[in-house]
Amino acid sequence: MSFELGGSGDQPALDFEDRTYTYAELDRAIDRWILEHGPGTPAYDASTLPVPDALICVCAAARQGTAVIVEDPEARPDRSVIPLSAFLLVATSGSTGRPRPLARTAASWFDSFPAFTAITGIDATDYVLITGPLHATMHLFGAVHALWRGACVTDDPSRATVVHAVPAVLRDVVGKAPKLRTAIVAGTALDDGARAVADGIDIVEYYGAAELSLVAARRVPEPLRLLDGVDADIRDGLLYVRSPYCVIGVPEWFGVGDLAELGDNGELTVRGRGESAINVGGTTVVAEDVERILETLDGVAAAAVVGSPHSVLGETVTAVVELDGTAEIGEIRSRARRTLTKEALPRRWVPIESMPRTASGKVARGRVRDWLA
């Protein structure tokens, strides 16, 4: 499937950073970009551009059949070669280490658009709110898909009918978006707090990885289900995926590194990163499970959980906690003791003023672990 703008004429296409484009104006801007940058350019670079210009650049690359780089300008990966079939040159988020370069074909994204449309219901009447930088691929995907559907991409919550956000950002957005009908969440698992804040709004949650794009999706409260054409296997408790939407150069079966379970009819339950499994005296504690519980406690704004070496138990749980100012760490510890099992209860508590996060809003677990070392 090739990429074409889904709107035309005076339909609104972009309303972002105090700049507006109709689809007719956007179409002309894309053609101007191609003329100004020439057909022989090996790769466009949208990384440092304002969002409207970056989207024009990406659409021009799709129209021209040229590769386009969309990376965090402050954390560019080492990229030695551009594959001949590459359209999109991005990178992993770096939440657990240095960003790695990735390259994907146009088809690896655009072929998933119909399935994404079917579950989200986005159409040409929508204003789609993008809440993060485009080098976080969930936001770039959301923006490009919106233009393919003929919707309007916006940064104005007051106009938004659909939002793409990680759960932590969704909590802040809902109160500013009175017209919101659908929230599309990804990046980290949907927590009860974010779900409660978005009560009355349709929530679509999808699971994926930078290397794979979409893997599974659901309309809450239904379970996650694999997308059509995507296969999964569980090996030693870890998820492996075979997908037509993967980046260039990955093995046929890609090990995601997440602890997961497969059920009937393609149901998928993701428990957390395999590397976040903490072995406490023979009991496996999943860091994300503990984080989700801690973040429901009054006084906790965010939590990151890692394993710390222990001479007898092998590992114990350490919790790094960002407080919201309404409770002291001792109170949080007492509340956690009433909720968590003995093995999952953190033995070490570290308060922090501001949780380190990636550009997409996920907790930068690798930076937390390095900081504690």
Side-chain angles (χ1 to χ4, degrees):
M1 176 183 295
S2 61
F3 176 79
E4 297 290 344
L5 295 175
S8 61
D10 292 335
Q11 287 178 256
L14 290 175
D15 181 1
F16 217 102
E17 297 174 353
D18 296 322
R19 293 168 60 184
T20 59
Y21 289 81
T22 65
Y23 270 93
E25 291 167 338
L26 178 59
D27 187 63
R28 290 193 293 270
I30 293 168
D31 283 341
R32 280 198 304 273
W33 182 279
I34 294 171
L35 286 173
E36 291 171 1
H37 293 81
T41 304
Y44 299 150
D45 193 342
S47 305
T48 61
L49 300 177
V51 168
D53 295 323
L55 289 175
I56 290 168
C57 175
V58 171
C59 291
R63 182 173 292 181
Q64 186 68 15
T66 300
V68 58
I69 302 168
V70 188
E71 298 171 345
D72 182 350
E74 296 182 1
R76 288 187 183 266
D78 296 327
R79 190 183 299 277
S80 58
V81 65
I82 298 176
L84 290 176
S85 59
F87 157 62
L88 189 61
L89 304 172
V90 292
T92 57
S93 66
S95 58
T96 57
R98 182 174 176 79
R100 292 182 291 105
L102 302 174
R104 60 171 57 254
T105 65
S108 71
W109 256 19
F110 302 152
D111 286 358
S112 70
F113 281 3
F116 192 69
T117 301
I119 195 166
T120 61
I122 293 172
D123 63 28
T125 65
D126 281 311
Y127 279 73
V128 179
L129 178 66
I130 303 301
T131 60
L134 296 184
H135 61 253
T137 52
M138 64 171 284
H139 300 300
L140 179 60
F141 182 93
V144 175
H145 172 265
L147 295 176
W148 180 79
R149 286 296 290 157
C152 181
V153 178
T154 186
D155 61 352
D156 182 358
S158 69
R159 306 193 73 179
T161 57
V162 177
V163 61
H164 287 265
V166 297
V169 173
L170 179 63
R171 294 168 183 253
D172 295 330
V173 166
V174 169
K176 306 171 186 176
K179 299 178 182 178
L180 202 61
R181 65 167 179 80
T182 300
I184 302 169
V185 297
T188 58
L190 180 67
D191 61 274
D192 290 340
R195 186 187 300 191
V197 168
D199 185 44
I201 298 170
D202 288 337
I203 302 177
V204 173
E205 181 181 21
Y206 70 87
Y207 167 77
E211 296 87 350
L212 297 169
S213 191
L214 302 178
V215 173
R218 67 170 181 151
R219 275 192 170 268
V220 175
E222 297 174 1
L224 281 171
R225 285 190 171 85
L226 297 173
L227 267 67
D228 289 344
V230 175
D231 297 315
D233 189 25
I234 305 298
R235 304 175 187 176
D236 296 325
L238 296 176
L239 178 64
Y240 284 75
V241 173
R242 180 171 61 186
S243 171
Y245 311 131
C246 63
V247 298
I248 298 168
V250 299
E252 180 182 9
W253 285 94
F254 179 78
V256 184
D258 285 342
L259 297 165
E261 299 171 0
L262 272 177
D264 297 332
N265 301 316
E267 289 187 13
L268 178 67
T269 301
V270 181
R271 298 193 61 206
R273 294 293 298 172
E275 64 192 21
S276 71
I278 304 168
N279 190 335
V280 182
T283 298
T284 298
V285 175
V286 179
E288 281 89 343
D289 290 346
V290 180
E291 289 168 354
R292 281 192 283 272
I293 291 171
L294 293 180
E295 288 176 352
T296 66
L297 301 179
D298 291 340
V300 176
V305 168
V306 299
S308 296
H310 190 275
S311 59
V312 176
L313 298 175
E315 289 182 289
T316 57
V317 176
T318 293
V320 177
V321 181
E322 179 185 332
L323 304 179
D324 65 10
T326 63
E328 298 295 329
I329 194 69
E331 298 173 80
I332 303 301
R333 186 186 295 114
S334 297
R335 292 166 186 165
R337 190 175 292 115
R338 295 193 292 268
T339 307
L340 293 166
T341 65
K342 178 179 66 175
E343 292 81 8
L345 184 68
R347 292 202 174 194
R348 181 186 177 195
W349 294 81
V350 182
I352 190 172
E353 287 188 6
S354 180
M355 189 69 68
R357 295 184 180 274
T358 67
S360 64
K362 294 188 288 186
V363 170
R365 190 183 302 279
R367 285 158 58 191
V368 170
R369 190 178 288 110
D370 292 344
W371 179 64
L372 290 172

